[in-house]
Amino acid sequence: MEAQLEQIREQQKETWNRFSPGWRKWDDFTMDWLRPMGDEIIRALQLRSTDVVLDIAAGTGEPGLSIARIVKDGHVVITDLAEGMLEVARDNAARRGIRNYETVACDVCELPFADNTFDAVSCRMGFMFFPDMQLAAQEMQRVLKPGGRLAAAVWGTPEQNPWVTMIMGTINKNLQLPAPPPGAPGMFRCGTPGMLADILGQAGLVSIVEKEVTGKLRAGSPDNYWLFMNEVAAPVVAAMSKADGSTREKIRREVFELVAQKYPDHHAAIDFGARIVCGQKPQA
């Protein structure tokens, strides 16, 4: 991997390890919110009880732990770049009595598994952050068995995701942050319809299907939404660290005004849109 991409990877590893306590605190809330994407991935994989499955960029353990309940005579390998996130995954598994799994801290672009190892590969909300998405897709394809299926979820376009754009747009308006370079890892990097499907196709997968999933981040209140985004959303925290006290309060006030305008019921149930893409490794 190029030195620049390695630097991005190490920065991401440090960030996700630093944010693992926030993800632990909000884990039940976050996993409930993201469940529709995990459920769609599971449907697309067409799992059998004996399957051996790789869950990549699983963070605190999903959808890998839900998959482990389905492949009760099989096994799930749950991976993430950040060991701090995998600690939460292991605690979640212990609490739920799940034993047919293991965790491996590793880089998706250098998977430590032999060719043709897994019956299925899942990846929920990871692709858009991989420094080299094509290399990641090639690695996933490499470790899949012939005939195995890969399913991944990514965020859709900014317009579909005001849960992010309302707060980040307000921050950018007040702080004039520099724009990231084109193609840099980021939330909406794979939002364009067909983009991830093309990446999977170039990696050698076939029978590729893309589906849109929409729903709401049900924060419960503007205060809860603000707190969640400032404890879990790394881009928000990084940007807000550059603001002084008065600017922070101005951003907070303007975000609350936006939420009230767009969602006047005061429950802060804010729209999201995602894409689930599934492909199959050709039979040998």
Side-chain angles (χ1 to χ4, degrees):
M1 187 184 293
E2 296 176 15
Q4 181 182 7
L5 298 182
E6 288 183 357
Q7 183 181 11
I8 292 171
R9 178 189 64 190
E10 292 308 306
Q11 288 172 345
Q12 289 180 342
K13 182 177 180 179
E14 189 274 331
T15 296
W16 288 114
N17 274 318
R18 180 157 38 91
F19 276 84
S20 58
W23 278 79
R24 180 186 291 275
K25 173 183 174 180
W26 289 93
D27 195 56
D28 288 345
F29 174 82
T30 307
M31 293 305 103
D32 184 63
W33 167 43
L34 297 177
R35 186 167 291 112
M37 284 71 84
D39 289 347
E40 195 57 47
I41 284 173
I42 289 170
R43 277 191 288 271
L45 291 178
Q46 302 176 11
L47 298 166
R48 301 160 298 186
S49 66
T50 56
D51 280 346
V52 178
V53 182
L54 175 65
D55 188 22
I56 288 176
T60 60
E62 288 294 341
L65 294 178
S66 292
I67 289 172
R69 287 205 183 277
I70 297 169
V71 298
K72 56 185 183 298
D73 300 313
H75 189 76
V76 178
V77 179
I78 294 172
T79 71
D80 198 88
L81 194 59
E83 177 59 36
M85 300 291 273
L86 293 176
E87 287 179 14
V88 184
R90 290 191 289 272
D91 289 344
N92 287 339
R95 191 173 67 249
R96 293 160 62 182
I98 297 171
R99 295 183 176 84
N100 60 329
Y101 83 99
E102 64 183 291
T103 62
V104 178
C106 64
D107 178 7
V108 65
C109 292
E110 299 172 341
L111 291 174
F113 310 111
D115 296 358
N116 309 321
T117 296
F118 298 96
D119 298 291
V121 174
S122 61
C123 181
R124 185 175 70 177
M125 301 309 176
F127 250 100
M128 56 273 190
F129 298 118
F130 298 152
D132 189 328
M133 295 188 292
Q134 194 61 60
L135 180 55
Q138 289 166 201
E139 276 290 274
M140 294 183 198
Q141 192 266 9
R142 178 184 67 78
V143 301
L144 259 181
K145 294 178 183 178
R149 301 173 72 85
L150 183 159
V154 293
W155 293 116
T157 63
E159 295 75 22
Q160 293 176 298
N161 289 280
W163 70 275
V164 181
T165 56
M166 283 196 304
I167 191 167
M168 285 306 299
T170 304
I171 290 171
N172 286 329
K173 183 179 71 173
N174 281 276
L175 295 179
Q176 288 83 46
L177 299 173
M187 195 77 72
F188 306 119
R189 189 178 176 206
C190 297
T192 303
M195 180 178 179
L196 182 55
D198 287 345
I199 290 172
L200 298 187
Q202 290 176 38
L205 298 179
V206 297
S207 303
I208 296 172
V209 177
E210 182 169 329
K211 181 176 182 177
E212 189 174 280
V213 174
T214 59
K216 291 182 182 293
L217 169 68
R218 301 186 185 279
S221 70
D223 283 291
N224 214 40
Y225 167 65
W226 176 259
L227 189 61
F228 171 68
M229 294 298 286
N230 276 273
E231 292 186 354
V232 170
V236 173
V237 179
M240 291 294 285
S241 69
K242 298 177 172 62
D244 58 30
S246 61
T247 305
R248 287 178 63 89
E249 182 53 36
K250 182 173 182 285
I251 291 169
R252 181 181 181 276
R253 186 173 62 251
E254 290 178 3
V255 168
F256 275 46
E257 290 170 357
L258 270 178
V259 174
Q261 290 169 14
K262 193 170 179 65
Y263 303 97
D265 63 359
H266 306 295
H267 292 157
I270 306 174
D271 295 289
F272 73 77
R275 301 186 185 283
I276 287 77
V277 184
C278 179
Q280 189 170 22
K281 184 170 181 174
Q283 292 284 355

